[in-house]
Amino acid sequence: MHDHAAGGDAHDHSEPGGHDHGHGGHGHSHAPKSFGKAFAIGTALNLGFVIIEAGYGIASGSMALLADAGHNLSDVLGLLIAWGAATLGKRRPSGKYTYGFRSSSILAAFLNALLLLVAIVVIAVEAIRRFSEPAPVAGGTVMIVAAIGIVVNTATALLFMSGRKGDLNIKGAFLHMAADAAVSAGVVVAGFIIVKTGLTWIDPVTSLVIVAVIAIGTWGLLRDSVNMSLQAAPPGLDPEEIGTFLRGRQGVQEIHDLHVWPMSTTETALTVHLLVPGGYPGDAYTAGVAAALKEKFGIDHATIQIETDPGTPCALESDKTV
């Protein structure tokens, strides 16, 4: 039988021995808005900038510009990874992919974090090398192209600003663009100061400061994406708080086998066994619990098993059993 509750539907299937399963449906209050147009615009802008920068680099004989063009090409790759994951996440479940490809957004966030780490290492190594081997002062062409980079990267970052807090995949794209805007700004500022003062050490020092700023943001992205990959409870969700909430539901004597994990960078799943000694409370009960979990914790897919006999041990009752 099927009962429909706010925030999703709950399906209950009675089984021998008083065990019942309720499934909270997929809610939509936390579903990400479409960033397809943002990805398309951002990719086009950055690809165009790479072509322009590489062209000026070849024309002016500037290895710095050619190297930065190669770095910006990695931004295009980062955007394509995030875009691909966002697109895959919309595909319906089929065959052995019973959750669809929602978790591809977690993988994309992780790959973007790795790309940022590679960029950090490359910039840091080059900055340290320049302490012993000062590079020629950046010419006007280099500063102008870097200024164009600020505009392009800032504009792209702004496309993803609204989604960076609710979706780790979008946050990865945002951080990538914001980091490069900072790098380009550093190049312009450092170049200007060097031209005015002749202090060539300003350039590598600025680079290392930028590396530190990027590293702080990247660490959070890497930590969260790794935790999500390991199916840890999403940031902001405390399993103990959820457990306390469930124990407070009417008729619940105890709970066990509680699991909370991310299905994607925007959706959360939960499974739990509730011991209700008073007897099976009905389909509407589990539908109500699923709706409450959705409203209070933003859990999109709740699977609830009802157990009614305290004398019948559950194989998954121990906290050490998964």
Side-chain angles (χ1 to χ4, degrees):
M1 62 188 291
H2 304 277
D3 286 284
H4 298 275
D9 57 359
H11 310 293
D12 295 273
H13 311 284
S14 295
E15 298 178 352
H19 297 271
D20 298 277
H21 303 274
H23 303 269
H26 300 280
H28 300 282
S29 62
H30 293 268
K33 77 173 192 176
S34 175
F35 280 88
K37 184 179 291 186
F39 279 119
I41 294 172
T43 301
L45 280 174
N46 281 270
L47 190 57
F49 178 56
V50 167
I51 294 171
I52 292 172
E53 190 172 31
Y56 272 108
I58 294 171
S60 64
S62 170
M63 285 305 298
L65 278 180
L66 286 174
D68 196 48
H71 169 63
N72 283 315
L73 191 59
S74 76
D75 296 339
V76 176
L77 177 60
L79 283 173
L80 289 174
I81 289 173
W83 190 2
T87 303
L88 280 174
K90 296 175 184 177
R91 293 183 61 178
R92 287 183 170 276
S94 62
K96 60 184 178 181
Y97 299 102
T98 57
Y99 275 134
F101 292 88
R102 285 174 167 82
S103 59
S104 61
S105 59
I106 298 173
L107 181 60
F110 176 66
L111 290 176
N112 258 320
L114 291 182
L115 281 174
L116 280 165
L117 286 178
V118 171
I120 286 172
V121 171
V122 170
I123 295 171
V125 169
E126 177 64 15
I128 293 170
R129 186 184 68 80
R130 287 190 181 185
F131 277 114
S132 57
E133 303 174 24
V137 173
T141 300
V142 174
M143 291 177 64
I144 290 171
V145 173
I148 295 172
I150 296 174
V151 175
V152 170
N153 290 313
T154 300
T156 307
L158 290 174
L159 293 173
F160 301 106
M161 180 173 284
S162 65
R164 74 190 191 283
K165 292 183 179 179
D167 186 340
L168 198 65
N169 184 35
I170 299 300
K171 180 181 179 181
F174 171 79
L175 282 177
H176 225 124
M177 296 301 104
D180 278 348
V183 171
S184 297
V187 170
V188 173
V189 172
F192 179 78
I193 295 175
I194 290 170
V195 168
K196 292 297 182 181
T197 65
L199 301 174
T200 57
W201 56 265
I202 292 291
D203 181 56
V205 167
T206 303
S207 296
L208 291 177
V209 170
I210 292 170
V211 162
V213 172
I214 299 173
I216 293 171
T218 303
W219 169 247
L221 179 65
L222 181 64
R223 179 197 60 217
D224 289 346
S225 60
V226 168
N227 284 339
M228 283 189 166
S229 299
L230 295 174
Q231 296 189 327
L237 281 184
D238 182 1
E240 289 190 10
E241 182 184 354
I242 295 172
T244 300
F245 174 78
L246 289 170
R247 288 186 185 91
R249 299 299 88 197
Q250 183 178 0
V252 176
Q253 177 177 306
E254 190 48 76
I255 73 167
H256 57 269
D257 199 37
L258 172 62
H259 299 281
V260 185
W261 73 98
M263 295 170 61
S264 70
T265 51
T266 58
E267 297 170 289
T268 304
L270 172 149
T271 60
V272 67
H273 293 201
L274 305 182
L275 177 59
V276 184
Y280 177 57
D283 292 358
Y285 178 85
T286 49
V289 173
L293 287 168
K294 171 71 176 176
E295 181 180 355
K296 184 172 178 62
F297 299 103
I299 293 170
D300 307 273
H301 188 111
T303 302
I304 301 161
Q305 176 167 310
I306 302 294
E307 298 172 358
T308 60
D309 183 5
T312 302
C314 176
L316 299 175
E317 187 170 355
S318 172
D319 289 339
K320 297 180 181 179
T321 303
V322 178

